[in-house]
């Protein structure tokens, strides 16, 4: 009975993960449209709810570590609060303010994982010890996930300012942001526990989304026209923006960490 329950949770978690990544992430960013000839911001999907649902879906797959105590999440979550306030990202179903700073959607995933994991830890009485090394690692992870966007934005600014002056600056502006976002997603590797079925599901979902997003980035780098309007669904839903690269990469590396071989 317990084994059937685990497989059922894995199936539900993988399905929820697929829906959230393939469809939900399309709604997680700022939305805008033209009304009566004027560009206006319209209501967006709640980034906070997206992060919580994503964290719950990952927990249902059983691929996340269980040795992190609730108290060890607090420094990371407290660090996320000023980062969220700085970005002016809406907490609920409200529009993004104009010219707001965008944070990586991977930070939303970390917030969701942290809140869900801490709540489950309290419910399961997982323990109240405080290992400062684990807490420091989680806080550092939260900071790096947010900071991964800043060098990318700086590289884009340098590229725009020196478009006709420096080939090196152009290449940095083109290739640095995607590589930094992929590297940020790789940091999620250490959050995974060894669970091969869950890892296979995460690899399949994250790998598909990552491949589609990388294809969109590659087309942009070689000046191929945007295919987001003509690509078939659900592929067109994934061609949103570069900020999803880190999220898809994070899911992929979580799966990679879950399928790694057990130590002898």
């Amino acid at each position: 009975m317990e084994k059937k329950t685990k497989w059922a949770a894995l199936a539900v978690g993988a399905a929820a993960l697929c829906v959230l990544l393939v469809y939900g992430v399309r709604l997680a960013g700022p939305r805008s449209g033209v009304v009566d000839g004027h560009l206006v911001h319209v209501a967006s999907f709640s980034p906070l709810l997206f992060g919580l649902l994503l964290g719950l879906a990952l927990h249902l797959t059983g691929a996340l570590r269980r040795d992190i105590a609730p108290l060890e999440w607090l420094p990371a979550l407290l660090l996320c609060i000023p980062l969220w306030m700085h970005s002016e990202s809406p907490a609920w179903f409200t529009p993004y303010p104009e010219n707001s700073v965008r944070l990586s959607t991977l930070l939303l995933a970390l917030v969701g994982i942290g809140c869900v994991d801490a709540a489950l830890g309290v419910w399961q009485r997982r323990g109240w010890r405080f290992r400062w090394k684990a807490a420091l690692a989680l806080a550092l992870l939260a900071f790096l996930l947010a900071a991964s966007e800043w060098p990318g934005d700086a590289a884009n600014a340098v590229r725009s300012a020196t478009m006709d002056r420096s080939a090196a600056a152009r290449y940095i502006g083109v290739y640095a942001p995607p590589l930094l976002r992929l590297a940020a997603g790789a940091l999620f590797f250490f959050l995974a526990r060894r669970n091969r079925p869950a890892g296979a599901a995460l690899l399949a979902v994250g790998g598909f989304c990552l491949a589609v997003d990388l294809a969109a980035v590659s087309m942009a780098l070689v000046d191929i026209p945007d295919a987001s309007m003509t690509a078939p669904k659900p592929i067109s839903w994934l061609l949103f923006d570069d900020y999803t690269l880190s999220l898809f990469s994070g899911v992929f590396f979580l799966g990679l960490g879950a399928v790694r071989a057990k130590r002898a």
Side-chain angles (χ1 to χ4, degrees):
M1 187 66 180
E2 184 178 352
K3 188 174 182 180
K4 290 182 178 180
T5 302
K6 289 183 178 180
W7 278 103
L10 173 62
V12 172
L17 182 69
C18 186
V19 171
L20 284 169
L21 291 185
V22 174
Y23 182 70
V25 77
R26 177 65 175 161
L27 303 174
R31 304 259 60 83
S32 61
V34 177
V35 178
D36 296 332
H38 299 285
L39 183 66
V40 299
H41 291 275
V42 298
S44 66
F45 185 84
S46 168
L48 179 60
L49 182 60
F50 175 82
L52 292 174
L53 291 176
L54 187 61
L56 182 60
L58 291 173
H59 267 280
L60 287 174
T61 63
L64 294 174
R65 289 172 54 177
R66 292 288 190 271
D67 62 325
I68 299 177
L71 287 177
E72 291 163 357
W73 275 106
L74 290 182
L77 295 177
L78 290 176
L79 178 62
C80 288
I81 292 176
L83 291 174
W84 199 296
M85 294 175 64
H86 171 70
S87 71
E88 299 179 351
S89 299
W92 203 236
F93 295 90
T94 54
Y96 275 79
E98 189 174 1
N99 299 322
S100 61
V101 178
R102 289 291 307 281
L103 289 179
S104 170
T105 45
L106 194 61
L107 187 67
L108 306 179
L110 183 69
V111 171
I113 293 172
C115 292
V116 174
D117 192 47
L120 288 176
V122 173
W123 181 57
Q124 298 169 352
R125 299 180 181 178
R126 196 180 300 166
W128 294 98
R129 66 192 183 282
F130 183 83
R131 296 171 298 177
W132 67 270
K133 291 183 179 179
L136 181 62
L138 290 171
L140 182 62
L141 177 61
F143 177 78
L144 290 176
L145 296 183
S148 65
E149 299 301 334
W150 302 336
D153 293 339
N156 283 325
V158 169
R159 179 195 177 199
S160 300
T162 60
M163 182 62 72
D164 299 324
R165 303 177 190 175
S166 170
R170 290 201 304 270
Y171 281 111
I172 291 174
V174 169
Y175 294 109
L179 292 177
L180 286 169
R181 290 174 180 125
L182 289 175
L187 297 175
F188 265 28
F189 182 91
F190 92 97
L191 284 179
R193 62 180 294 195
R194 293 178 177 86
N195 187 330
R196 290 188 176 182
L202 296 182
L203 282 176
V205 176
F208 169 75
C209 297
L210 185 60
V212 172
D213 220 30
L214 284 175
V217 171
S218 301
M219 288 189 295
L221 293 181
V222 295
D223 295 327
I224 295 178
D226 185 12
S228 61
M229 300 302 294
T230 58
K233 299 177 181 179
I235 293 178
S236 60
W237 294 338
L238 300 178
L239 303 178
F240 177 45
D241 59 29
D242 291 344
Y243 290 89
T244 57
L245 265 176
S246 56
L247 178 64
F248 300 154
S249 177
V251 175
F252 178 81
F253 281 102
L254 266 175
L256 200 63
V259 298
R260 67 192 189 278
K262 293 183 179 181
R263 294 190 183 95

